[in-house]
Amino acid sequence: MRIVTESKPLEQIEAGTLIVPVFEGQKESRFGAAPLAEAGEVAGKPLEFTLLHNPTGVAAARVLLAGAGKPEKFDSAEFRKLVAAAVRYLKGKSVKSAAAALAGAYAGDDFASAAVEGALLGNYEPDRYQTGNDKKSLESFTVAGGSPTLERAAARGRILAEAQNFARDLANEPANLLTPVKMGEAARQMAAEFGLECEILDRDRMAQLRMGSLLGVAQGSAEPPVLIVIRYRPQAGGNSAHLGLVGKGVTFDSGGISIKPADGMEKMKYDMSGGAAMIGAMRAIGQLKPAIPVSAFIPCVENMPGSRAQRPGDIVTAMSGKTIEVINTDAEGRLILADALAYARQLGCTHLVDAATLTGAIVVALGHLNAGLFSNNDAMRDRVLNAARAEGERMWAMPLDDDYKDYLKSAFADLANVGGRWGGAVTAAYFLKEFAEETPWVHLDIAGTAYLDDAKPYMAKGPTGLPVRTLVRLATDWQA
Ligand code: BES
Ligand code: ZN
Ligand code: ZN
């Protein structure tokens, strides 16, 4: 989609359809909308849309009155959603171009970025494998405003949304087409395009590094595992923080020998969404060039019950030297992340964030609206929460007290890979904490937020691309 910036006032914008937020309690009287407002047909309720043809007083052919809710609750996150929902509404009507004018309470650069992001995110459809030629999408989106930095804000919005959509595309790939090796190739290609270093560790290299925990998961599949490493280095390298982004890359999670029930198992192609988010974030980081070095580590495996698969009761030795009793082979995410976290630390990362579709338990706890956030360091937790808030990606801080360790006791190894029935998201996080050790670290359990089972007005069904924007902002806001 073409993104255009303009400094023209709203009246003069010539795009096919002008998207205009309408607030609750503020009767819209422009464009000939007064009678509709009087009749209560246009009330500004959230995501209520009214399309006006031949509106008065504007150059645009149509005005879409877009319900924006209560003005005191309207922020850039609401604006992003509103534009995205408007774009989805309009493309359903075969509209090809739209515009939004920044004004009043929504004139800042964060709103300009949000508008562009909303347009690109709303325009996205996971339809790569549908062969029909009746696909509807918006061809151009204009954001108009008076800010001297409008262009820059729009460019940032485009970079962020394209990175997020890239992650969505990757996450949506079916497991027959996106194997661990293919995921490595996708990362390598992205890195080459955006000036990043990329290294793909194969099974032999991982065996040399003694990544027994990761390799134990991989051994049940005919598809070989890879560990993707992507590096961004700032121009002026100093003695600064080094951010490590670690993402779960299970291209398919059958559960292994502890096999999952058939119902809904197709969704386990999304089990590499955390890894996809890290690759997407690096795509934006390569363009936005933060002041600190950032490295991504994505362990990619397929969790399958092949004849060489690991069994419940197996004991593996992780790269850090800790031994793990594998009680349940379906708790595989933590096993591959354990070695990836250790490797990130060995390569000098001073701060770590991981994202993983790790547990069904986080979905029980938080539903599909908030990612679960766990941390061993309050300052690091607050950095991530602040970035998430600024980007409108909701996360909720969960506990990680020391005595959760008791849940992971094993009679035969240093720890078990599952913690029993209760507190499943917390015990999974605690397991990871054992491998983050003293490094300030945040774990994001995105099992409930990485994909939508049904479309929302502002987003298609399928992968959401969360938390790409939070990760990028975390890196770009970091003071070296
Ligand atoms: N990939 C799943 C978690 C998941 C569940 C992601 C639902 C998305 C939606 C993970 O590998 C898993 O199977 N976790 C188990 C852990 C259990 C065996 C301790 C779970 O949550 O049931
Ligand atoms: Zn699993
Ligand atoms: Zn999994």
Side-chain angles (χ1 to χ4, degrees):
M1 183 168 55
R2 216 156 52 89
I3 301 291
V4 183
T5 54
E6 263 183 16
S7 56
K8 283 183 186 164
L10 168 142
E11 295 77 20
Q12 292 170 22
I13 298 168
E14 278 157 14
T17 301
L18 200 54
I19 300 166
V20 180
V22 177
F23 295 95
E24 268 177 71
Q26 298 179 358
K27 283 189 180 157
E28 181 60 67
S29 59
R30 296 171 294 173
F31 324 112
L36 295 172
E38 281 309 324
E41 192 179 323
V42 172
K45 293 262 181 281
L47 304 186
E48 159 202 276
F49 292 116
T50 311
L51 188 58
L52 304 178
H53 295 262
N54 307 312
T56 55
V58 289
R62 282 175 277 202
V63 163
L64 181 67
L65 299 175
K70 297 197 168 65
E72 64 274 16
K73 281 195 176 169
F74 195 71
D75 56 12
S76 62
E78 289 298 317
F79 193 44
R80 184 184 297 106
K81 272 195 196 172
L82 187 63
V83 172
V87 164
R88 289 177 61 73
Y89 176 90
L90 291 173
K91 72 179 179 182
K93 299 191 178 299
S94 299
V95 168
K96 294 294 169 201
S97 86
L102 303 177
Y106 53 98
D109 282 353
D110 46 340
F111 285 92
S113 298
V116 172
E117 289 159 23
L120 286 159
L121 297 171
N123 208 29
Y124 173 89
E125 291 295 333
D127 59 3
R128 178 179 283 183
Y129 296 109
Q130 291 180 335
T131 58
N133 51 9
D134 56 345
K135 292 180 187 175
K136 289 180 172 174
S137 68
L138 211 66
E139 286 165 6
S140 104
F141 179 77
T142 301
V143 57
S147 162
T149 47
L150 175 68
E151 186 79 48
R152 203 184 138 83
R156 180 183 166 93
R158 175 197 268 283
I159 289 169
L160 282 168
E162 286 180 349
Q164 188 171 343
N165 284 344
F166 179 85
R168 292 166 84 185
D169 265 338
L170 206 53
N172 200 46
E173 285 292 303
N176 61 328
L177 302 180
L178 192 81
T179 60
V181 167
K182 286 276 168 53
M183 198 163 161
E185 283 167 13
R188 195 192 284 286
Q189 201 182 336
M190 181 287 291
E193 195 176 339
F194 295 97
L196 300 161
E197 289 169 36
C198 183
E199 193 181 343
I200 313 283
L201 281 60
D202 64 8
R203 197 197 305 258
D204 289 347
R205 180 74 189 116
M206 289 188 270
Q208 273 175 8
L209 290 164
R210 299 182 173 277
M211 294 182 169
S213 184
L214 190 164
L215 292 174
V217 177
Q219 76 193 31
S221 171
E223 295 295 340
V226 299
L227 174 58
I228 302 169
V229 183
I230 309 170
R231 293 193 187 85
Y232 161 78
R233 300 268 172 274
Q235 291 292 351
N239 196 5
S240 75
H242 178 175
L243 180 60
L245 305 177
V246 181
K248 174 176 173 180
V250 176
T251 59
F252 189 75
D253 182 11
S254 72
I257 295 296
S258 314
I259 199 162
K260 289 181 180 293
D263 194 34
M265 206 205 274
E266 72 282 358
K267 290 176 198 159
M268 287 301 118
K269 71 170 182 176
Y270 297 137
D271 213 23
M272 33 60 74
S273 295
M278 295 317 180
I279 300 175
M282 292 306 288
R283 189 182 193 272
I285 284 167
Q287 297 167 81
L288 294 172
K289 305 194 190 307
I292 54 163
V294 186
S295 302
F297 302 84
I298 302 117
C300 300
V301 303
E302 190 180 54
N303 187 25
M304 294 289 271
S307 63
R308 306 295 305 270
Q310 71 179 346
R311 296 132 294 236
D314 283 5
I315 294 177
V316 295
T317 305
M319 182 185 168
S320 74
K322 287 195 168 110
T323 58
I324 303 161
E325 185 184 8
V326 180
I327 300 291
N328 189 316
T329 66
D330 197 11
E332 84 298 342
R334 62 198 79 180
L335 293 172
I336 66 169
L337 291 168
D339 282 338
L341 288 165
Y343 190 56
R345 295 182 70 240
Q346 190 183 89
L347 290 198
C349 292
T350 59
H351 297 76
L352 294 169
V353 182
D354 78 70
T357 47
L358 205 65
T359 67
I362 200 65
V363 196
V364 174
L366 299 176
H368 296 94
L369 302 181
N370 275 276
L373 182 152
F374 302 82
S375 183
N376 60 0
N377 179 290
D378 288 355
M380 186 64 184
R381 175 199 65 200
D382 290 344
R383 276 184 190 272
V384 176
L385 282 174
N386 288 337
R389 200 171 302 114
E391 292 295 340
E393 295 183 326
R394 281 180 288 176
M395 299 177 182
W396 194 259
M398 301 284 287
L400 208 51
D401 308 78
D402 288 338
D403 39 355
Y404 280 106
K405 189 176 165 100
D406 299 342
Y407 289 67
L408 292 170
K409 277 211 173 102
S410 160
F412 312 114
D414 296 338
L415 67 168
N417 80 326
V418 298
R421 182 159 159 69
W422 309 115
V426 188
T427 53
Y430 201 96
F431 182 94
L432 298 180
K433 180 176 138 162
E434 290 286 306
F435 297 89
E437 301 193 35
E438 301 310 313
T439 305
W441 152 85
V442 164
H443 158 59
L444 302 173
D445 193 335
I446 58 170
T449 51
Y451 57 88
L452 296 173
D453 286 326
D454 296 296
K456 298 260 193 200
Y458 52 87
M459 195 172 266
K461 173 180 172 144
T464 61
L466 260 63
V468 165
R469 295 201 314 274
T470 296
L471 298 166
V472 177
R473 182 172 288 267
L474 177 70
T476 55
D477 278 2
W478 207 292
Q479 308 294 330

